[in-house]
């Protein structure tokens, strides 16, 4: 039977932060001011007609929009649509085993969740999408996160929490039906492998031959283990204390990385890509099998300080330095679709390229993976689900700012493949001029010299461009031009750390998904802490993404260029699964009138993503279609000709194999998602016609003994409740001993 639409006023009253009473005049004035700031920012961006404008206006538009969305729309969804229940025990409380299920302080969990979801996407995607101009990407980032991305994350987290932290694929099987569920299980797991491989590839490209980055990031592992034992064994509940120690050690590791790079130990930490792949696989396995409190949660929490701190300082730098947006608001490539960075028209490819930061299916895996097994209270889904996604979206905004404040000529020289611009500053200058953006050979050489790099040409993947923009902003505030090299390399290391935290959490989520799936065959796998299942599933997951990672570093066309389009499509198709599951659950649980909250973004996402899939499969343009690319290189092999950028016949065969695999996977993903959507539509229609036939797999209500705030800062009522509950235990308080 569907759950009741409401459970009484006591449930609403139990939800800290629920709307009650009339707002004060001061509150009204403050929110009107916030709204005006955002509106003025958007107005300036919209009315710009070719003149350079300050990046600060873009910042104002985004921040104003985020604040309004979190205060009003997110609260509306939590209180009216989901009806979060503070009195209901979460699986972290009921099933606490100290390994996968563990009630975690909301501040630590916010850090873990944000670090887990904020990977390569918000840094790489917006940079690549800047090819179309700053306006299309910015509109999608802000509007997409408010109405789609953050909604998906919060609603998925809520429904998974109500189902003992079930994975997205398993929820689809339980709630949609065996056919759509089976398709979802296969699609979600396969897509997960591709996503993790691309995340790992960006890290490998950033850390290769970088002793500074390898040392600094390597040191975050023992620091995190120390923090885990400190918080669980030495000083339980002392979150602020361990945070100060952890941040101090992290800053020391960053500084020490520079010392190591200049010392005799530099060669030890200078690793080839192949070596990094092996270490990444080993680390991913260990992070997946160790208790969550020992490595994963403290490391992600630690990384969040650097992530959020750096992005916040970058925003402050934008306000102080007031850099201008040098990229046009909309470039000619948006209409022509023949850009050198990626091929394809603005619709649908901007919405695919900017995956994370606006809408990301990967987030639904974390929201139905590690996070629901650690959350203390249902009332925290707004802060952790919606709030963390807004924070990631802000990272994406900063990335598009970083890409658009550098000279467009330099942007295209850095992000265009060598086969398009050549290998010399002279050839690159001529090619970029042909694009319509002039830059001299001397300027290209000087840009590389400023950051102490031999060359910046064809440094594709987005990370170097973000680092260039970041060095421009920071050096304008601190140190001047002489500090550009330091800030550039700091940014490269920052990006690698940013992404690695997604890889370890993602591997663990992949393990949960595989165990859920195998549990349908062998019941022992249903226990996600069963040791043989843990080791077996973790090994399968790391072997899967490890294979595609190895293929990526060996690809003649550049792994990121081959895998990122597939990454974007797969990620957004995964979002379609998550939104379909959420919409189905809203309808089955008697919330039909609110189904538009997830239904509208589902229709948009499915339209965009299936259009992109069709073009990548059937397009005859070699730059767009996977199979068109395969046919071109196969014809070269048949004619015994080596086509650039391949250097020999082995490279030619590699391109053919990779393009074929990418095309087949793209077609498979699209087909599976169509099956899921069709079965979800059938289930929803049945529930609407006969509400009494709807069955839910929700865990029965159990009273919660934990008292914990809903938001980052406790309200006066919450502080009083905490004080009355007794001594602190893990960031929350226990009303009475739990049986």
């Amino acid at each position: 039977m569907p759950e009741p639409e409401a459970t009484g006023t006591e449930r609403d009253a139990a939800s800290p932060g629920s709307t009650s009473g009339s707002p004060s005049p001061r509150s009204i004035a403050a929110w009107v001011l916030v709204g005006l700031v955002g509106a003025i920012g958007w107005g300036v961006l919209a009315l710009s007609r070719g003149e350079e404008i300050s990046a600060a206006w873009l910042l104002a538009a985004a921040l104003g929009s985020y604040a309004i969305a979190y205060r009003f729309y997110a609260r509306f969804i939590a209180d009216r649509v989901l009806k979060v229940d503070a009195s209901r025990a979460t699986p972290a409380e009921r099933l606490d085993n100290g390994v996968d299920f563990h009630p975690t302080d909301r501040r630590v969990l916010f850090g873990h969740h944000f670090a887990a979801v904020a990977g390569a996407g918000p840094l790489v995607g917006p940079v690549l999408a800047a090819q179309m101009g700053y306006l299309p990407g910015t509109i999608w980032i802000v509007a997409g996160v408010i109405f789609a991305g953050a909604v998906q994350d919060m609603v998925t987290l809520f429904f998974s929490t109500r189902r003992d932290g079930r994975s997205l694929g398993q929820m689809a099987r339980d709630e949609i039906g065996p056919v759509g569920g089976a398709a979802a299980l296969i699609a979600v797991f396969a897509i997960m492998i591709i996503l993790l491989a691309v995340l790992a590839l960006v890290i490998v490209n950033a850390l290769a031959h970088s002793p500074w980055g390898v040392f600094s990031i390597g040191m975050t592992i023992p620091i995190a283990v120390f923090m885990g034992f400190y918080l669980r064994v030495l000083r339980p509940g002392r979150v602020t204390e361990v945070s100060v120690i952890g941040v101090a050690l992290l800053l020391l590791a960053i500084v020490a990385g520079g010392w190591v790079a200049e010392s005799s130990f530099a060669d030890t930490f200078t690793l080839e890509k192949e070596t990094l792949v092996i270490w990444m696989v080993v680390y991913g396995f260990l992070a997946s099998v160790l208790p969550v409190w020992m490595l994963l949660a403290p490391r992600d929490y630690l990384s969040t300080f650097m992530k959020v701190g750096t992005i916040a300082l970058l925003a402050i730098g934008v306000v102080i330095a007031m850099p201008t947006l040098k990229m046009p608001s909309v470039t000619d490539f948006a209409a022509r679709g023949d850009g050198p960075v990626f091929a394809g028209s603005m619709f649908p490819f901007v919405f695919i390229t900017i995956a994370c930061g606006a809408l990301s299916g990967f987030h639904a895996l974390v929201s139905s993976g590690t996070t629901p097994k650690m959350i203390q209270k249902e009332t925290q889904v707004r802060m952790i689900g919606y709030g963390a996604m807004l924070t990631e979206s802000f990272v994406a905004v900063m990335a598009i700012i970083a890409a658009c404040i550098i000279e467009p000529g330099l942007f295209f020289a850095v992000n265009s493949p060598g086969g398009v611009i050549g290998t010399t500053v002279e050839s690159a200058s001529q090619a970029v001029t042909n694009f319509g953006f002039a830059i001299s050979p001397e300027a290209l050489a000087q840009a590389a010299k400023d950051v102490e790099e031999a060359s910046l040409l064809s440094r594709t993947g987005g990370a170097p461009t973000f680092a260039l923009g970041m060095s421009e902003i920071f050096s304008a505030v601190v140190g001047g031009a002489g500090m550009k090299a330091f800030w550039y390399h700091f940014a490269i290391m920052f990006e690698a750390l940013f992404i690695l935290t997604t890889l370890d959490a993602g591997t663990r989520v992949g393990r949960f998904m595989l165990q859920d799936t195998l549990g349908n065959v062998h019941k022992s796998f249903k226990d996600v802490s069963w040791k043989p299942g843990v080791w077996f599933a973790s090994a399968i997951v790391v072997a899967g993404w490890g294979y595609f990672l190895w293929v990526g570093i060996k690809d003649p066309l550049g792994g990121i260029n081959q895998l990122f389009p597939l990454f974007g499509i797969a990620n957004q198709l995964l979002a379609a699964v998550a939104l379909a599951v959420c919409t189905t659950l809203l309808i089955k649980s008697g919330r039909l009138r609110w189904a538009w909250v997830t239904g509208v973004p589902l229709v948009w996402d499915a339209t965009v993503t299936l259009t992109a899939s069709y073009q990548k499969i059937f397009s005859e343009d070699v730059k767009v279609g996977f199979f068109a690319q395969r046919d071109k290189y196969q014809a070269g092999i048949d004619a015994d000709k080596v086509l650039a950028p391949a250097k020999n016949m082995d490279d030619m065969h590699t391109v053919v194999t990779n393009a074929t695999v990418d095309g087949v996977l793209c077609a498979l993903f699209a087909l599976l998602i169509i099956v899921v959507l069709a079965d979800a539509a059938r289930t929803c229609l049945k529930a609407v016609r006969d509400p009494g036939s709807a069955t839910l797999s929700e865990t029965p209500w159990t009273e919660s003994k934990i008292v914990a705030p809903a938001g980052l800062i406790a309200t006066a009522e919450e502080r009083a409740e905490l004080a009355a509950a007794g001594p602190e235990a893990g960031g929350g308080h226990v009303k009475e001993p739990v049986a």
Side-chain angles (χ1 to χ4, degrees), residues 152-163:
Q152 171 208 255
D153 292 12
M154 178 169 67
V155 178
T156 301
L157 175 58
F158 172 80
F159 281 127
S160 181
T161 300
R162 285 275 176 103
R163 287 158 178 78

Side-chain angles (χ1 to χ4, degrees), residues 411-732:
F411 170 87
F412 285 104
V414 173
N415 289 284
S416 300
V420 175
I421 64 172
T423 58
T424 67
V425 290
E426 289 78 15
S427 64
S429 174
Q430 182 59 50
V432 170
T433 300
N434 293 337
F435 299 156
F437 302 99
I439 188 169
S440 68
E442 293 76 19
L444 288 173
Q446 186 61 47
K449 183 179 179 181
D450 287 344
V451 295
E452 297 181 11
E453 290 285 333
S455 173
L456 289 174
L457 301 183
S458 301
R459 298 291 297 273
T460 57
T465 303
F466 179 83
L468 281 172
M470 190 168 166
S471 68
E472 285 282 343
I473 295 170
F474 278 162
S475 62
V477 178
V478 179
M483 286 288 287
K484 274 189 178 181
F486 171 83
W487 290 121
Y488 175 85
H489 289 94
F490 172 84
I492 291 292
M493 188 274 301
F494 158 78
E495 291 174 283
L497 177 63
F498 203 106
I499 298 164
L500 186 59
T501 51
T502 305
L503 183 69
D504 52 23
T507 301
R508 197 180 194 94
V509 171
R511 188 253 286 180
F512 290 150
M513 290 165 47
L514 185 56
Q515 285 183 266
D516 266 350
T517 303
L518 294 176
N520 297 313
V521 179
H522 192 292
K523 289 186 177 180
S524 296
F525 281 99
K526 285 289 186 183
D527 179 2
V528 294
S529 299
W530 180 53
K531 289 295 191 294
V534 168
W535 298 333
F536 176 77
S538 296
I540 295 297
V541 172
V542 296
W545 62 254
Y547 164 76
F548 283 101
L549 173 59
W550 188 267
V551 167
I553 67 169
K554 296 292 187 180
D555 192 275
L557 298 181
I560 198 71
N561 295 330
Q562 283 292 84
L563 286 176
F564 202 82
L566 185 62
F567 167 88
I569 289 173
N571 196 30
Q572 303 303 67
L573 286 173
L574 191 54
V577 174
L579 290 168
V581 170
C582 291
T583 304
T584 301
L585 283 169
L586 286 175
I587 292 174
K588 289 178 66 176
S589 61
R591 300 175 172 98
L592 176 61
R593 62 173 173 163
W594 304 124
W596 59 267
V597 170
T598 54
V600 171
L602 168 60
V603 172
W604 167 257
D605 179 54
T607 301
V608 168
T609 312
L610 291 176
T611 300
S613 300
Y614 181 88
Q615 293 187 20
K616 295 300 290 186
I617 296 167
F618 296 106
S619 175
E620 296 181 357
D621 186 342
V622 175
K623 294 181 178 180
V624 176
F626 286 129
F627 291 115
Q629 184 184 81
R630 178 213 178 273
D631 292 344
K632 174 185 175 181
Y633 282 85
Q634 183 60 54
I637 292 173
D638 295 341
D640 199 28
K641 292 173 60 177
V642 176
L643 308 177
K647 297 180 175 62
N648 50 50
M649 275 298 166
D650 286 342
D651 284 354
M652 294 285 289
H653 284 287
T654 299
V655 172
V656 169
T657 300
N658 292 352
T660 303
V661 170
D662 289 350
V664 169
L665 286 175
C666 190
L668 175 64
F669 293 161
L671 180 61
L672 289 170
I673 289 343
I674 290 172
V675 171
V676 173
L677 295 178
D679 209 18
R682 177 194 61 80
T683 302
C684 291
L685 186 60
K686 180 182 177 182
V688 171
R689 288 177 173 175
D690 183 12
S693 67
T695 58
L696 295 167
S697 58
E698 182 176 294
T699 305
W701 183 89
T702 303
E703 184 181 3
S704 174
K705 305 296 183 182
I706 292 178
V707 178
L712 194 62
I713 301 173
T715 64
E717 293 82 359
E718 289 170 340
R719 287 196 297 271
E721 191 176 7
L722 286 167
E728 190 169 7

Side-chain angles (χ1 to χ4, degrees), residues 282-301:
V282 171
Y283 171 75
F285 179 82
L286 292 176
S288 178
V289 301
L290 289 174
V292 69
W293 61 265
M294 186 182 296
L295 175 60
L296 191 69
R299 189 184 184 287
D300 290 354
Y301 178 60

Side-chain angles (χ1 to χ4, degrees), residues 206-222:
L207 292 183
H209 308 108
S210 175
W212 185 352
V214 169
F215 176 84
S216 297
I217 289 177
M219 286 303 297
T220 63
I221 298 172

